[in-house]
Amino acid sequence: MSRYNPKEAEPKWQARWNAAGSFNADAAAKDAQKYYVLEMFPYPSGRIHIGHVRNYAMGDVIARYKKACGFSVLHPMGWDAFGMPAENAAMQTGSHPRDWTYANIDTMRGQLKQMGLAIDWSREFATSDPEYYHHQQRMFLEFWKKGFAYRKESSVNWDPVDNTVLANEQVIDGKGWRSGAPVERRKLSQWFFNITGEAEDLLAALDDGRLKGWPDNVRLMQRNWIGKSKGLAMKFCFASGTSAPKEFEDGVEIFTTRPDTLYGASFLAIAPDHPLALHYAETDPALKDFIAECQKTGTSEEAIEKADKKGYKLPPEMAHPFDDRKLPLYVANFVLMQYGTGAIFGCPSGDQRDLDFARKYGLSVPPVVLPPEADPASFTIEDEAYTGPGTLFNSGFLDGLPTDEAITAAIAKVEEMGMGQGQTQYRLRDWGVSRQRYWGCPIPAIHCDKCGIVPVPEKDLPVRLPDVAPEEFTVPGNPLDRAEDWKNVDCPTCGGKARRETDTFDTFVDSSWYFARFAAPHPDKPVEKDAADYWMPVNQYIGGVEHAILHLLYARYFSRMMKACGYLSVDEPFENLFTQGMVVHETYLDPDDTKPLKDRWLLPDEVVLKDNVLVQETTGKPVIVGPIEKMSKSKKNVVSPEDIAEKYGADAARWFMLSDSPPERDVEWTDSGVEGAWKLINRIWDAVASGNNLLKENDLSKPSEANDEDKTLRQATHGAIDGVTGDIDHFRFNKAIARIYEFLNALKKAPKASNWARAEALSALTRLIAPFTPHLAEECWETLGGDGLACEAPWPKADPAFLAKDELVIGVQVNGKRRAEITVGANDDKETVENAALSDEGVQRHIDGKTIRKVVVVPGRIVNIVAN
RNA sequence: GAAACGAUAGCCAAGCGGUAAGGCGCUCGACUUAAACUCGAUAUACGGUGGUUCGAAUCCACCUCGUUUUUCCA
C-alpha cells in the first residue's frame, strides 16, 4: 500500500485552493446566509507557536464546516502589531520596532499558510499600518467631539531612576525591571474613554439575551468586573468642638453598600490622595511621609489588597449621624480614591478589612448584625467579621429589622435628614488609553499654551509615527518625547508654537474594532457601512479565556461608540464566543545546579528517551522532569509547528490539537499524541485507497443494499454523520474525532459490504474529515473520483431511518447496587420493564425473602428495586 | 487578597442524577527470519470531608491542590 505523503500533497492543494479562490469571501454567494468566523488575531511575536495552531484550527473547522453547509463565509486574518515587545526587542537587538514587527509578520504569515487554513488573505492588514491607524485617529476625533473621550489625571507606575513609566508586568516585587529601583506612583494627565457611561447597557446586555451565545463564566466575570452596587452616599459632619478646615467644613462624603450597619461605625477613613488628606499633609510632615509611603504600593488591585492595613489619624473627629458618638478620622491605605467618594465609614464587625484595622488601632467593635439563630446576649466578634445577612441589634431604630429592610430604612432615614441619598456605584473605571510609548497609534492632539489642547485637523491625518533611529530605543523614556522635529508644530487654531501629544494609544484600542474593518478590505473610511451591515456581528469569535474581561469588554464598548457615530448598526460585535484552553508541555531541567536556573531549561528537542529514562541528547545525563506548564520561551517547553509539519504534515498537527482534549480545556503536547494522529491519517488513507473511482461508478442518489453488512455499514455511516455534525455544532471537536475513529473501525469490520455502501461510507468519511484534515480530504476525494474540490463539496446529511434502535440493554439495581442486565424493547412501557426486571434470575436471588418497597423505572436507563 | 474555571487509571479523556466509554502507554499473545505496522487479551481510576436522594463521578456545603485574570503584556 502507498503511504500518504503530506509533503507533496499539502502544498499542492494549498496552491489549488488559492487558484480557485475557494476562501475568498467576495466570491461567496450573496444570496446565501452569511457566517463570519474570527479567531482573535495574533500579536506578531516572531513565530507561530502550537497554541496558535490550536486556536486557528478550531476556527478553520468552523469556517470549512459552515461553507460546506452552504453559508457565505468570512474568515479573515490580521495582526495586532503595536505593543511593547517590539520596543523591548529594539532595546535588546537594536532593530527598529517597525522592521522587527513586519519581519515577524512575514515569517508568521508563511507559517500560517503552511497550516492550510481556509482564510481570505486578501483582507489582511496590521494595526500598525498607517492606513489602519489613520481611521482609528479619525474615529478618536469624533469620540472626542461627542464627549466619549476626555482628559483627567491618573496614577502610573513611575521608575524614578530610568525616569519612565512602567507597565504592571515591568514591576517586579515593587521594583523596576531594569533599574531595580522601588517604583512610585505618579500622577499624569491622560486620555480616558467614558466606558462607565455605558456600564448600565454593558451590564444589561449580559442578561437580556443579546449575549446568549457567550459562555456563562465569561458573562459572570464581566458582571463582577462591572460590579454594580446600590448603596448610600452621605455626608458625615465634623463633631462639635472640632475645628475643620474651611473649604471642607461641609463634612466628609462617604459611600457604603451597607448603610444598615451605620450603628456599628467606629471610625471614618479617607484615601491617601483624598483632598482632605492632601490639605492636612501641607502642614504635617509626618502625614506627608505616610502618604508618600502609601504611594509606594503598586497600582495593581492585588498589591493594594494584600498590603498591611495602615492608617494615620487626623486631628478632627466626626459626628455619628444617629447618636452622639464621636468617631476618629483616619487616612488609610486600603481606601481607594477611584471608587465611590474616596472615603468610607468603618464598621469592624461587618467588614474584614475594617476589623483588621480596628484591632490594629484599638478601636471598638460594636456588633450590629445578628446571624440567624445566634444569641444576642453572647454574640461577639473575635477575629472574623460577620458579613452575611441577619437581624439588626444594638442599632436604635433599625433594631429587629432583617438586613435588606434595614438597608432601605437607613437610606430613607438619611435622605429624610437631608444628609445623603441612595446611589448606584460601579467598580468599573473609565478606560485610560494613553501610553507613554513609541510603538503605538499616535493620539491626534496638539498642546498649545494659548489654546489648550486642540484636535489635529482631519486633513492632516494620519499623524504618522516619525522615523527615529534604532539607538533611541536603548535610552529609557519615550522616543517621541525626544523627536523634536516631529513634536514641535504650529497650533492649528492660532498658528503659534505648539507641541504634539507624544502619548500613543493603548493597544486594546487597536483590537477594539479590527473585526469591523475586516468587513471591507481597504475603504478610505473606517468601515464600509454596507459591508459592515452585511457581515457584522461576528457569528463565532474564538480566543483565549485570558481575554474574557478587558479585550471583550473594551470591544463591546467600542462598538457602542461606533454605532453612536453611525459606523455600525450593531452594539454587540460578537454573537457567539468560544474560549479555548492553552497548549501545555512538560518542562525539562539540566540537573547541573551550579548554573543559574534560567540557563538550565532544555528544549524538548534536546531530550531523548533512553532505557525508559529521559536524558539530555548531547551528554546522556538524565534530566529533571518539571511540571507541565503553559508553553513559554523562558521555560523552553515549546515545540515548533514547522518541525511538526515537516515531519508529519499540517493535517497531523491540526488533528492532534483538536483530538485529545475538550477545546475549552488545556491540552498537553506529546510526541506520542502527534504520532497517533499520523497513524490515523494513514489508516484513513488505506481505507480510501482501495476505493479508487467508487464515486464515479456508483450513483449515491439511488440507495442500494445488496447484503446484510450493508445495513450495518449504513447505520455506522449515518450515525457518524449525525454525531460529527452535532459535535461540530457544539464545539466538541474531540468527540467528533472519537466518532470518526469509531466509524473507521466499523468500516473495517464490513469488508463484504457492497461497493455502493462502501462508496456512501467513504464519501461521507472524506467530507467529515475535511474540516479537520483538509489536505488529506482533497487527496481522498480525488482518489474516490468526487466532483470538484472536497472543500467545495456539500456537507453530508444523515438519514434518520438509520439512527433509531429497536431494543436496548438496561441495568437492574437492587437497593442501589447493580445486580443484573435485561434486554427490553425501545418502546416497552414501564410495567413491562418492571415485570421483566422482577422476573430476572439474578434479581430474584437478591430480593428473595424481602419485601419490595418501591420500584423505580427510568425509561431507557435503569430499574431500581428497593427492598428490605 | 478577590473573581472565574478545573481535579475520573502511568498519561489524555467520555460520562454531568440511573450499567465508570474510548485512546495512548505498560505487560502478554498472534503475525514476522527479525523489527516496524497490524490484530487480540489483561490490569489499574471518580482530589478530601460532610449533606440531599431509592440511587451521587454527576447536585449542595466546606476543604486541598492547580490554572487564568486582577483596569499599562497581548
Side-chain angles (χ1 to χ4, degrees):
Chain A
M1 70 187 79
S2 65
R3 282 213 121 181
Y4 175 63
N5 184 352
K7 278 179 84 170
E8 262 177 37
E10 292 185 348
K12 177 177 80 186
W13 292 109
Q14 285 164 19
R16 294 222 192 147
W17 296 331
N18 198 27
S22 297
F23 311 123
N24 190 315
D26 291 327
K30 284 288 179 266
D31 52 344
Q33 210 184 333
K34 70 96 183 178
Y35 199 89
Y36 183 0
V37 54
L38 181 69
E39 304 91 336
M40 291 178 186
F41 65 165
Y43 179 78
S45 53
R47 309 189 73 73
I48 293 293
H49 58 75
I50 209 78
H52 290 121
V53 174
R54 190 175 190 216
N55 191 199
Y56 298 120
M58 286 179 194
D60 208 47
V61 168
I62 299 296
R64 288 174 180 272
Y65 166 70
K66 289 292 177 183
K67 179 178 166 67
C69 291
F71 287 88
S72 142
V73 171
L74 172 58
H75 185 211
M77 180 61 67
W79 308 96
D80 189 13
F82 277 134
M84 274 204 319
E87 293 191 45
N88 293 341
M91 281 181 212
Q92 281 154 18
T93 68
S95 63
H96 193 282
R98 187 191 52 233
D99 300 340
W100 183 86
T101 301
Y102 283 93
N104 286 347
I105 288 174
D106 285 342
T107 308
M108 291 171 73
R109 183 192 303 109
Q111 293 176 308
L112 280 182
K113 287 191 170 176
Q114 196 185 5
M115 298 314 299
L117 302 170
I119 282 171
D120 181 353
W121 284 102
S122 72
R123 291 169 192 249
E124 177 194 357
F125 61 79
T127 55
S128 55
D129 296 343
E131 194 201 339
Y132 181 80
Y133 70 68
H134 176 179
H135 299 292
Q136 190 161 305
Q137 292 173 342
R138 260 175 150 174
M139 285 195 288
F140 169 75
L141 295 181
E142 271 189 80
F143 297 160
W144 185 0
K145 208 183 287 171
K146 284 202 152 60
F148 300 141
Y150 69 99
R151 283 173 74 77
K152 72 169 178 183
E153 283 208 324
S154 77
S155 297
V156 294
N157 295 309
W158 181 256
D159 185 321
V161 171
D162 277 353
N163 284 317
T164 190
V165 177
L166 299 178
N168 278 338
E169 69 155 17
Q170 295 173 319
V171 180
I172 297 155
D173 295 330
K175 299 193 174 75
W177 64 329
R178 287 159 66 79
S179 68
V183 168
E184 297 166 6
R185 267 190 252 172
R186 175 174 281 209
K187 291 218 157 171
L188 291 180
S189 185
Q190 312 202 62
W191 285 102
F192 282 80
F193 285 149
N194 178 30
I195 191 170
T196 54
E198 291 291 327
E200 200 54 50
D201 192 56
L202 289 167
L203 188 64
L206 295 174
D207 291 313
D208 65 13
R210 277 180 276 176
L211 295 181
K212 61 177 187 293
W214 283 38
D216 289 343
N217 64 328
V218 174
R219 294 205 315 242
L220 181 58
M221 281 190 268
Q222 292 215 345
R223 189 176 310 129
N224 291 340
W225 187 256
I226 293 169
K228 179 177 180 175
S229 57
K230 286 185 184 139
L232 169 69
M234 71 171 290
K235 282 226 160 107
F236 271 70
C237 300
F238 290 95
S240 57
T242 283
S243 66
K246 229 184 175 163
E247 51 278 51
F248 297 97
E249 59 193 5
D250 275 2
V252 174
E253 187 174 36
I254 60 100
F255 176 77
T256 178
T257 57
R258 291 295 300 272
D260 58 315
T261 64
L262 264 167
Y263 277 96
S266 64
F267 65 95
L268 254 71
I270 60 175
D273 40 357
H274 191 280
L276 184 59
L278 299 176
H279 171 86
Y280 278 106
E282 282 171 22
T283 52
D284 181 349
L287 174 58
K288 200 169 185 176
D289 289 348
F290 176 79
I291 292 173
E293 192 62 32
C294 292
Q295 303 292 3
K296 283 184 183 162
T297 315
T299 56
S300 75
E301 183 190 334
E302 187 192 1
I304 293 162
E305 200 66 41
K306 274 194 191 162
D308 270 344
K309 311 287 170 283
K310 283 187 299 196
Y312 186 94
K313 197 163 182 293
L314 293 178
E317 288 187 306
M318 309 306 293
H320 193 282
F322 299 151
D323 57 31
D324 51 11
R325 271 185 293 158
K326 292 181 178 177
L327 306 177
L329 175 65
Y330 285 87
V331 177
N333 64 344
F334 62 93
V335 181
L336 304 177
M337 195 60 215
Q338 312 94 301
Y339 186 76
T341 58
I344 60 151
F345 78 84
C347 173
S349 64
D351 183 289
Q352 193 59 43
R353 289 173 303 186
D354 295 351
L355 181 61
D356 295 345
F357 190 82
R359 292 290 183 224
K360 183 163 182 173
Y361 293 102
L363 304 170
S364 64
V365 184
V368 285
V369 179
L370 189 66
E373 290 169 35
D375 174 17
S378 61
F379 179 72
T380 53
I381 297 285
E382 298 299 332
D383 295 331
E384 254 180 61
Y386 179 72
T387 57
T391 310
L392 273 292
F393 71 132
N394 299 333
S395 291
F397 70 96
L398 297 172
D399 275 351
L401 293 178
T403 302
D404 50 350
E405 286 176 34
I407 290 175
T408 315
I411 293 175
K413 177 82 171 180
V414 169
E415 285 180 346
E416 181 194 314
M417 291 164 75
M419 294 176 76
Q421 65 290 316
Q423 193 175 302
T424 299
Q425 196 69 43
Y426 299 94
R427 205 184 77 103
L428 179 70
R429 306 203 294 260
D430 273 344
W431 175 15
V433 294
S434 298
R435 296 292 181 273
Q436 295 70 41
R437 296 182 210 297
Y438 170 85
W439 192 234
C441 169
I443 298 176
I446 289 169
H447 298 258
C448 170
D449 291 335
K450 261 194 250 160
C451 311
I453 184 153
V454 295
V456 172
E458 190 159 337
K459 66 176 171 53
D460 294 339
L461 295 183
V463 177
R464 286 169 192 266
L465 284 171
D467 218 356
V468 304
E471 299 78 58
E472 281 293 320
F473 297 96
T474 58
V475 188
N478 181 356
L480 293 180
D481 276 334
R482 302 186 295 263
E484 299 297 335
D485 289 350
W486 178 82
K487 185 168 128 182
N488 296 312
V489 289
D490 295 337
C491 172
T493 307
C494 70
K497 280 192 176 168
R499 296 163 314 280
R500 282 193 192 284
E501 170 96 32
T502 58
D503 286 352
T504 50
F505 281 119
D506 178 8
T507 55
F508 277 124
V509 178
D510 311 338
S511 56
S512 287
W513 68 285
Y514 74 104
F515 42 84
R517 181 81 181 167
F518 277 140
H522 304 287
D524 186 28
K525 47 188 157 184
V527 294
E528 186 79 65
K529 188 75 190 317
D530 290 347
D533 282 349
Y534 177 73
W535 289 112
M536 290 297 291
V538 175
N539 298 93
Q540 183 65 62
Y541 197 37
I542 305 169
V545 72
E546 64 271 21
H547 294 291
I549 297 173
L550 296 182
H551 163 57
L552 290 168
L553 196 59
Y554 291 150
R556 294 179 59 209
Y557 168 62
F558 220 85
S559 291
R560 283 163 170 74
M561 289 199 290
M562 288 175 75
K563 188 181 176 189
C565 295
Y567 290 115
L568 287 180
S569 303
V570 298
D571 48 12
E572 287 298 341
F574 312 122
E575 183 186 20
N576 294 291
L577 173 71
F578 188 84
T579 53
Q580 101 277 10
M582 292 177 306
V583 182
V584 297
H585 196 280
E586 276 182 335
T587 47
Y588 306 110
L589 201 56
D590 182 341
D592 179 0
D593 57 11
T594 59
K595 288 196 260 182
L597 182 64
K598 68 176 175 58
D599 296 333
R600 289 170 59 201
W601 299 105
L602 299 170
L603 288 166
D605 279 355
E606 301 174 281
V607 176
V608 291
L609 191 66
K610 203 168 147 190
D611 302 329
N612 269 332
V613 181
L614 286 169
V615 300
Q616 194 173 353
E617 194 169 19
T618 48
T619 62
K621 285 190 297 186
V623 302
I624 299 171
V625 178
I628 296 166
E629 292 190 48
K630 174 179 174 174
M631 289 192 182
S632 70
K633 275 186 193 163
S634 59
K635 299 276 176 72
K636 287 197 176 175
N637 58 337
V638 291
V639 291
S640 151
E642 271 179 327
D643 294 350
I644 303 301
E646 178 72 17
K647 204 166 165 188
Y648 302 106
D651 283 346
R654 293 169 55 126
W655 180 269
F656 171 52
M657 280 292 88
L658 298 176
S659 67
D660 238 29
S661 279
E664 67 277 12
R665 249 202 262 176
D666 291 351
V667 62
E668 188 193 351
W669 179 271
T670 57
D671 290 343
S672 60
V674 72
E675 275 162 25
W678 170 237
K679 281 185 203 169
L680 184 276
I681 281 170
N682 281 293
R683 281 175 63 195
I684 292 176
W685 180 240
D686 287 348
V688 174
S690 60
N692 214 347
N693 275 329
L694 268 185
L695 290 185
K696 284 216 162 55
E697 293 154 8
N698 293 277
D699 183 355
L700 288 188
S701 64
K702 293 180 184 153
S704 142
E705 278 172 42
N707 61 48
D708 286 349
E709 252 181 37
D710 283 3
K711 193 185 176 193
T712 318
L713 180 56
R714 295 197 68 196
Q715 275 178 345
T717 302
H718 289 274
I721 294 171
D722 184 58
V724 171
T725 305
D727 287 336
I728 294 180
D729 277 332
H730 294 97
F731 264 78
R732 299 184 296 230
F733 303 127
N734 58 323
K735 290 170 75 175
I737 283 176
R739 285 182 205 277
I740 292 172
Y741 271 100
E742 284 174 11
F743 182 28
L744 200 57
N745 289 335
L747 192 60
K748 206 162 211 172
K749 284 183 179 145
K752 296 199 197 92
S754 68
N755 274 350
W756 191 93
R758 287 181 57 234
E760 183 187 51
L762 293 176
S763 164
L765 176 66
T766 300
R767 286 178 288 160
L768 292 179
I769 63 167
F772 301 93
T773 54
H775 311 90
L776 174 66
E778 295 292 356
E779 204 72 16
C780 290
W781 195 244
E782 189 178 53
T783 300
L784 293 172
D787 284 338
L789 289 163
C791 71
E792 312 269 10
W795 193 249
K797 279 203 171 56
D799 182 344
F802 291 97
L803 303 178
K805 280 186 184 164
D806 9 313
E807 54 178 34
L808 25 98
V809 179
I810 65 170
V812 182
Q813 296 178 329
V814 178
N815 291 331
K817 288 207 171 66
R818 187 177 154 259
R819 299 297 186 191
E821 268 178 9
I822 55 172
T823 304
V824 297
N827 298 315
D828 285 359
D829 58 20
K830 283 194 175 188
E831 205 178 336
T832 314
V833 174
E834 183 176 329
N835 289 336
L838 287 171
S839 57
D840 184 89
E841 260 180 55
V843 175
Q844 281 292 332
R845 219 177 35 238
H846 285 95
I847 58 176
D848 191 32
K850 291 178 181 164
T851 312
I852 294 170
R853 300 290 174 193
K854 192 174 177 183
V855 179
V856 183
V857 179
V858 184
R861 294 283 199 176
I862 204 164
V863 179
N864 189 15
I865 299 160
V866 185
N868 63 2

